[in-house]
Amino acid sequence: MVTVPDDLIEARGSVIHGRGVYARGFIAEGEVVMEYTGERIPLGEAVRREQLRQAREAAGETGDVVCDYLYILDDAWAIDGRGDGNVARLINHHCEPNCASDIWDDRVWIVASRDIEAGEELSFDYGYTFRDGLGHPCRCGAPSCVGYIVARHQRWRVRRWLRERDAAAVR
């Protein structure tokens, strides 16, 4: 698989979430940007690691130890992207992303979903379910953002939940 040259991307500070990945040059729609790499683990182990991460976060720990780098491949496997060298783990969620993730041959690839100009932060839709996404605030700032990292096709549920929550608070 041919990906964009490493010198076309860089990791640095992000207004979305601490650190992010940026294009240093033009990336054309359809180009493979990079692979999301890491330890391939059974889904049960991914659930255990996520519960540990949530406990650390609830205890007030900060930094990399409370960031979620698990990429669920299917109903049996996940990739824990916490390992060194996986710059793709720093790509932030965005409600109007410029990249998409795709799985080919049990490997995760980040692909430009539109032309990306130099200086733009790379992003993709993490695709969290309604239930899981409510535990992850979204800071992307997009006009269509609902405030939580939830897959595009489930954002209507967040909007409904917010309306019902706000109506109940008024009563």
Side-chain angles (χ1 to χ4, degrees):
M1 176 74 47
V2 177
T3 60
V4 299
D6 287 344
D7 64 349
L8 269 183
I9 56 169
E10 70 176 334
R12 59 182 163 93
S14 166
V15 297
I16 296 175
H17 193 267
R19 290 183 49 91
V21 178
Y22 293 80
R24 293 181 60 159
F26 178 80
I27 300 172
E29 179 179 354
E31 281 193 77
V32 176
V33 179
M34 66 182 69
E35 182 179 4
Y36 191 99
T37 60
E39 180 185 6
R40 185 181 166 94
I41 57 174
L43 191 57
E45 175 62 13
V47 169
R48 186 191 73 75
R49 290 181 187 186
E50 174 60 10
Q51 289 169 341
L52 179 60
R53 183 199 70 77
Q54 289 176 5
R56 287 177 170 156
E57 187 176 40
E61 292 186 45
T62 61
D64 208 42
V65 73
V66 295
C67 290
D68 181 0
Y69 297 124
L70 294 169
Y71 190 105
I72 308 304
L73 292 170
D74 55 32
D75 58 359
W77 295 96
I79 294 176
D80 187 342
R82 197 171 296 280
D84 291 339
N86 180 26
V87 175
R89 79 182 188 278
L90 301 175
I91 299 176
N92 287 309
H93 165 85
H94 201 286
C95 293
E96 296 174 11
N98 54 18
C99 293
S101 63
D102 207 349
I103 301 171
W104 303 317
D105 298 326
D106 290 331
R107 295 170 71 182
V108 179
W109 300 96
I110 307 300
V111 180
S113 57
R114 64 167 175 78
D115 289 347
I116 301 170
E117 300 297 327
E120 279 190 72
E121 182 172 358
L122 304 181
S123 60
F124 68 95
D125 183 343
Y126 285 6
Y128 288 172
T129 64
F130 171 73
R131 189 186 82 229
D132 292 339
L134 292 182
H136 298 274
C138 183
R139 301 178 192 102
C140 77
S144 64
C145 181
V146 295
Y148 296 93
I149 299 177
V150 175
R152 177 182 299 272
H153 70 278
Q154 292 196 8
R155 290 185 196 142
W156 67 270
R157 294 180 69 192
V158 176
R159 288 183 192 96
R160 184 180 69 189
W161 174 75
L162 290 169
R163 280 193 308 272
E164 291 170 357
R165 182 194 69 183
D166 292 346
V170 171
R171 292 182 210 159

